[in-house]
Coordinates of all heavy atoms in Angstrom, one line a residue:
F24 N -145.6 156.9 73.2 CA -145.5 157.0 74.7 C -144.1 157.4 75.0 O -143.8 158.1 76.0 CB -145.7 155.6 75.3 CG -147.3 155.4 75.5 CD1 -147.9 154.4 74.7 CD2 -147.9 156.1 76.5 CE1 -149.3 154.2 74.9 CE2 -149.3 155.8 76.6 CZ -149.9 154.9 75.9
W52 N -142.4 155.6 79.9 CA -141.3 155.4 78.8 C -141.1 153.8 78.7 O -140.9 153.3 77.6 CB -140.1 156.1 79.1 CG -139.1 156.1 78.0 CD1 -139.1 156.8 76.9 CD2 -138.0 155.1 77.8 NE1 -138.0 156.5 76.0 CE2 -137.4 155.5 76.6 CE3 -137.6 154.1 78.6 CZ2 -136.2 154.8 76.1 CZ3 -136.4 153.4 78.2 CH2 -135.8 153.7 76.9
G62 N -143.4 144.1 69.4 CA -143.7 143.9 68.0 C -142.8 143.0 67.3 O -143.2 142.3 66.3
Q66 N -143.3 139.7 63.9 CA -143.0 140.0 62.5 C -143.0 138.8 61.7 O -142.6 137.7 62.0 CB -141.6 140.6 62.4 CG -141.7 142.1 63.1 CD -140.3 142.8 62.9 OE1 -139.5 142.3 62.2 NE2 -140.2 143.9 63.6
G109 N -143.3 153.2 48.7 CA -141.9 152.9 48.4 C -141.4 151.7 49.0 O -140.7 150.9 48.4
L115 N -141.2 144.0 47.3 CA -141.5 143.1 46.2 C -140.4 143.0 45.2 O -140.3 142.1 44.4 CB -142.7 143.8 45.4 CG -144.0 143.8 46.3 CD1 -145.1 144.5 45.5 CD2 -144.5 142.3 46.5
D122 N -127.7 133.6 52.9 CA -127.2 133.1 54.1 C -125.7 133.3 54.2 O -124.9 132.9 55.1 CB -127.5 131.7 54.4 CG -129.0 131.4 54.6 OD1 -129.7 132.3 55.1 OD2 -129.5 130.4 54.1
T123 N -125.1 134.1 53.4 CA -123.7 134.4 53.3 C -123.4 135.8 53.0 O -124.3 136.6 52.6 CB -123.0 133.6 52.1 OG1 -123.6 133.9 50.9 CG2 -123.2 132.1 52.4
C140 N -119.3 155.9 61.8 CA -118.9 157.2 62.0 C -120.0 158.2 61.6 O -120.2 159.2 62.3 CB -117.7 157.6 61.1 SG -116.1 156.8 61.7
T150 N -121.0 168.2 70.4 CA -119.8 168.5 71.2 C -119.3 169.8 70.7 O -118.8 170.7 71.6 CB -118.8 167.4 71.1 OG1 -119.3 166.2 71.6 CG2 -117.5 167.8 71.9
Y152 N -120.8 172.3 68.8 CA -121.8 173.4 69.0 C -123.1 172.8 69.3 O -123.6 172.8 70.4 CB -121.8 174.2 67.6 CG -122.8 175.3 67.7 CD1 -122.9 176.2 68.7 CD2 -123.7 175.5 66.6 CE1 -123.8 177.2 68.7 CE2 -124.6 176.5 66.6 CZ -124.7 177.4 67.7 OH -125.6 178.3 67.7
R153 N -123.8 172.4 68.2 CA -125.1 171.7 68.4 C -125.4 170.9 67.2 O -124.9 171.2 66.1 CB -126.2 172.7 68.7 CG -126.5 173.6 67.6 CD -127.6 174.7 68.0 NE -128.8 174.0 68.5 CZ -129.7 173.5 67.7 NH1 -129.6 173.6 66.4 NH2 -130.7 172.9 68.2
W192 N -120.4 140.3 66.5 CA -121.4 141.1 65.8 C -122.6 141.3 66.7 O -123.3 142.3 66.6 CB -121.8 140.3 64.5 CG -120.8 140.3 63.4 CD1 -120.2 139.2 62.8 CD2 -120.2 141.4 62.8 NE1 -119.3 139.5 61.9 CE2 -119.3 140.9 61.9 CE3 -120.3 142.8 63.1 CZ2 -118.5 141.7 61.1 CZ3 -119.5 143.6 62.3 CH2 -118.6 143.1 61.3
S200 N -127.7 149.6 68.7 CA -129.0 149.8 69.0 C -129.2 150.9 70.1 O -130.1 151.8 70.1 CB -129.7 148.6 69.4 OG -129.8 147.6 68.3
L205 N -130.8 156.4 71.8 CA -130.4 157.7 72.4 C -130.6 158.8 71.4 O -131.1 159.9 71.7 CB -129.0 157.7 72.9 CG -128.5 159.0 73.5 CD1 -129.4 159.5 74.6 CD2 -127.1 158.9 73.9
A216 N -143.1 163.4 66.7 CA -142.9 162.0 66.5 C -143.3 161.6 65.1 O -142.7 160.6 64.5 CB -143.7 161.1 67.5
R269 N -139.1 168.7 55.4 CA -139.3 170.1 55.0 C -140.7 170.6 55.3 O -141.0 171.7 55.1 CB -139.0 170.2 53.6 CG -137.6 170.0 53.1 CD -136.7 171.0 53.6 NE -137.0 172.3 53.1 CZ -136.7 172.8 51.9 NH1 -135.9 172.1 51.1 NH2 -137.0 174.0 51.5
T315 N -139.3 178.5 60.3 CA -140.6 178.3 59.6 C -141.1 179.6 59.0 O -140.7 180.6 59.3 CB -141.7 177.7 60.6 OG1 -141.9 178.7 61.6 CG2 -141.2 176.4 61.2
V323 N -139.3 169.6 48.0 CA -138.1 168.9 47.5 C -138.4 167.4 47.4 O -138.9 166.8 48.2 CB -137.0 169.1 48.5 CG1 -135.7 168.4 48.0 CG2 -136.7 170.6 48.7

Side-chain angles (χ1 to χ4, degrees):
F24 280 110
W52 188 85
Q66 292 186 8
L115 293 175
D122 294 326
T123 59
C140 290
T150 300
Y152 176 52
R153 65 184 306 278
W192 288 126
S200 296
L205 179 55
R269 296 289 301 274
T315 60
V323 180

